[in-house]
Every structure is written in C-alpha cells, then in structure tokens.
Amino acid sequence: MAAQKLPVFIASAAGLLVLPLLMQVAGVGEAWIRILDIALLYILLALGLNIVVGFAGLLDLGYIAFYAVGAYLFALLASPHLVENFPAIAAAFPDGLHTPVWLVIPLGAGLAALAGVLLGTPTLKLRGDYLAIVTLGFGEIIRVFLNNLDAPVNITNGPKGVSQIEPISIAGVSLGEPWHIGGFTLPSVTLYYYLFLAVVVVAVVICQRLQDSRLGRAWMAVREDEIAAKAMGLNTRNIKLLAFGLGATFGGVSGVLFASFQGFVSPESFSLHESIMVVAMVVLGGLGHIPGVILGAFLLAALPEVLRHVAGPLQAMTDGRLDAAILRQLLVASAMILIMLWRPTGLWPAPASRKQVPPTAQTTGGGA
C-alpha cells in the first residue's frame, strides 16, 4: 500500500513546490500567493484543533486564544514596543530585542501549551455544551485582556495593536525582502509560502505519528466512551490535559508565524468568529481525519477570498444596494450549509473501521 501511494506523494510534493512559481510566471499576482500563505496557517491551526476535537472528542470554541498567545509573544519580542514603553528593557537592550524566530517558536509553543493546560484543568469534568461554553469564555477572556492591557502599564498597546514586527530571518537573510536568484525574483510572499509549507509538513508528520501511537489510541478511546476508557485503567485526566496542551502548541506556532508574516497584530484578529471558523474547518473536512482536516481548512480559508470575485459582480447587478462584505459572508455560509447537507460526515471523513472478527472455532460435542 505504501509503495502504491509513493508516486502520489511525490507528485503532490512537486506540485506544492512549483505552485507559487507557476502562479508567479502566469502573472496572477502576489495576492493569490498570499491567499495560499494564509491557508497554510489555517491548516496548521486546524491540525492542532483536530487533536482536541477530532482525536480526543473535546469541543473547544476558544482555540483561537492560543493563536493570539503565540502572535503577541513574537510581536512583543520582535518589535520596538517593549523598548519604547519600558525603560529597564531599553537600558538592557539599547539596540532593541530582535529576538530570533527560532527562539520565539519554542517559547510560543511552550507558552501556548501552558495556556492549554490551564484551560484544560478546570474543564476535566465538563462535557458537551458545558465544555463548549467554558472554552468559549476562555477565548473571549484572552481577547479582552489583549484589548485592555494598555493601562496603567502598556503591555499590548490595547486596540491599537503592535506594529513594526520584524520579519523572519533565516541564516541572516530576511524573508521580508525578495530574493534574487539569477534573473528570477522570489517575492516575500513566496518565501513565506515555503516556510509555512515546511512547518505544515512537519505538523502533519507529528499528527500522523500521534494518531498511530498509544496516546492517540487513548484519545480515541476517551472520545468514544470516557467511562469505558476509565474502567480499562486509562488516566483520562492526563490524557485530556495532553490533548489540550499538544493541540495548543500548534496554535502558538501558527501565531508566531502569523505575526511575522503580517508585521502587525491586534485583538481584532482573534475574535470568536475566527474560533468558529477553525472548528468549522475541522468538522467540514472530517473529524479526526488528517487529510480531510487539511482539505476543509484550505477550502474555508481560500473560499472567502475567491468569493470576492463573485460578490463584486453581484453587488454591481443590484446597483450597489447589497454590501459586498455581507454578500460574501452569505455566500460562504450557504456553501457550508450545502456541503454539510451533501456530506454530513465531512468532505473527506475517516474510513470506516472494518475490523473482521475471526470466525470462532466451532465446537462439537461428542458423546458415545
């Protein structure tokens, strides 16, 4: 089976590597490559949430909070904000912080994992709707804190956000500037595409290994029947905390990459709408199925941008009486409803378990 899939993997890898180059040669513009970049970030978020929702069966509506934790950590450590607002930091780092991304990524993952454990600890006995409400509240608390931590000490700059965030540098070469290779120029969005693609590939490998591990099977046992799992001797408390913590690390890493890519973060980027969209990506693609989650995240991340080209002409047909942004949201929602009616288990659900029960040996009673 692995030998049969190898050509597909090689063709897919080659296609992903040359895709932005083909788009650049075709002259479609950098905006479409930027859509691919954002889609890759959402894929990373969806893979992390799939650990919590898909593998362990824990509904988390506040997952975007971990995204915010990673983004603001990089924003504060790779921008002049702390130096400008804290004299002690300015005295210790007269040339600025300039924290390298390879140090911030582990810090972002660790801080997000800690936040995930803090969220998971008080929710261990909650299930279903109650768990959803608590996690939703956690996400809103983080957003409100980020929105108000500008007084009396300006930590997050409040609703104004943090700007002048440095781009990622690899081996001293900044990804914020185009690379010139011979007579060909790779723009910044293409460079970020390859970085995001590499991180997503690593995340997919990690998720696949987790799914096939003892921990992954324990998550699925808790998802199917927590009482039965506990009766079989599984420590459901630690299993749930590991799901929250490991899932949150993906959100923290994605937040670090997002802050560097955007160069600006504000609380508006981490609203409840974003959390719901990430949950929809996991459910729409197929709960617990990694390829399905990737497909769902890509479609829901790219669909709103693609529908801009549909909403514009429809607005013109009504002489501007319809707002293009509202019309675009209506089209996205309609597409999601149709997909879920057509494929209620997701676009690419996990294959049904077909365990063949071996026939029992037929016993015959003999008597003389």
Side-chain angles (χ1 to χ4, degrees):
M1 183 65 68
Q4 295 176 356
K5 293 182 179 180
L6 184 59
V8 178
F9 291 153
I10 294 177
S12 301
L16 290 172
L17 289 175
V18 302
L19 179 59
L21 303 178
L22 293 176
M23 296 174 68
Q24 185 176 344
V25 172
V28 297
E30 296 181 8
W32 290 96
I33 304 177
R34 184 178 181 86
I35 292 174
L36 293 178
D37 294 342
I38 297 298
L40 288 173
L41 289 177
Y42 275 110
I43 288 173
L44 187 58
L45 280 174
L47 288 171
L49 184 60
N50 185 55
I51 293 177
V52 183
V53 179
F55 292 170
L58 306 171
L59 184 56
D60 187 356
L61 293 182
Y63 185 74
I64 208 68
F66 310 125
Y67 190 44
V69 167
Y72 266 87
L73 177 67
F74 185 78
L76 295 177
L77 295 180
S79 73
H81 177 75
L82 292 180
V83 174
E84 292 174 353
N85 290 278
F86 295 90
I89 296 179
F93 301 93
D95 297 328
L97 291 174
H98 307 294
T99 310
V101 69
W102 307 120
L103 177 60
V104 181
I105 284 180
L107 289 176
L111 185 60
L114 178 61
V117 172
L118 292 178
L119 168 63
T121 301
T123 63
L124 292 174
K125 295 184 179 181
L126 300 178
R127 301 176 187 173
D129 300 337
Y130 302 99
L131 178 61
I133 292 172
V134 171
T135 55
L136 185 152
F138 176 80
E140 285 299 289
I141 287 172
I142 295 296
R143 186 185 63 82
V144 171
F145 263 93
L146 295 175
N147 204 40
N148 291 275
L149 283 180
D150 57 344
V153 180
N154 188 0
I155 299 177
T156 64
N157 208 28
K160 297 178 181 178
V162 181
S163 58
Q164 302 180 29
I165 303 173
E166 299 174 355
I168 291 176
S169 296
I170 299 178
V173 180
S174 174
L175 298 187
E177 300 176 358
W179 284 7
H180 302 282
I181 303 176
F184 196 76
T185 300
L186 293 177
S188 176
V189 289
T190 302
L191 300 178
Y192 271 104
Y193 169 85
Y194 287 118
L195 174 63
F196 294 168
L197 180 62
V199 175
V200 167
V201 169
V202 173
V204 169
V205 173
I206 292 174
C207 288
Q208 188 64 54
R209 299 290 292 177
L210 284 173
Q211 185 179 23
D212 297 335
S213 66
R214 292 179 60 187
L215 179 59
R217 295 189 181 93
W219 282 333
M220 295 172 195
V222 171
R223 180 190 65 192
E224 297 300 327
D225 193 329
E226 183 178 348
I227 297 177
K230 186 179 294 186
M232 293 299 293
L234 293 178
N235 189 333
T236 57
R237 173 182 177 275
N238 291 347
I239 290 171
K240 288 182 178 181
L241 289 179
L242 281 172
F244 276 111
L246 290 175
T249 58
F250 287 74
V253 173
S254 184
V256 170
L257 300 176
F258 169 77
S260 174
F261 179 64
Q262 289 288 100
F264 170 78
V265 294
S266 69
E268 295 180 357
S269 300
F270 313 105
S271 62
L272 174 62
H273 174 264
E274 296 295 323
S275 276
I276 294 175
M277 283 296 292
V278 179
V279 174
M281 291 171 182
V282 177
V283 176
L284 186 72
L287 277 171
H289 193 219
I290 295 174
V293 170
I294 295 173
L295 177 62
F298 177 78
L299 289 180
L300 279 190
L303 189 60
E305 302 300 326
V306 174
L307 288 180
R308 289 181 187 272
H309 300 277
V310 179
L314 290 178
Q315 184 187 29
M317 291 171 58
T318 59
D319 296 328
R321 287 191 294 269
L322 289 177
D323 183 79
I326 296 177
L327 183 59
R328 184 163 57 95
Q329 293 178 3
L330 177 62
L331 292 173
V332 173
S334 301
M336 291 172 61
I337 292 173
L338 291 175
I339 290 173
M340 292 311 297
L341 289 175
W342 172 53
R343 301 281 291 182
T345 57
L347 288 173
W348 195 348
S353 177
R354 298 179 179 177
K355 296 182 179 179
Q356 299 292 335
V357 179
T360 56
Q362 187 176 5
T363 58
T364 58

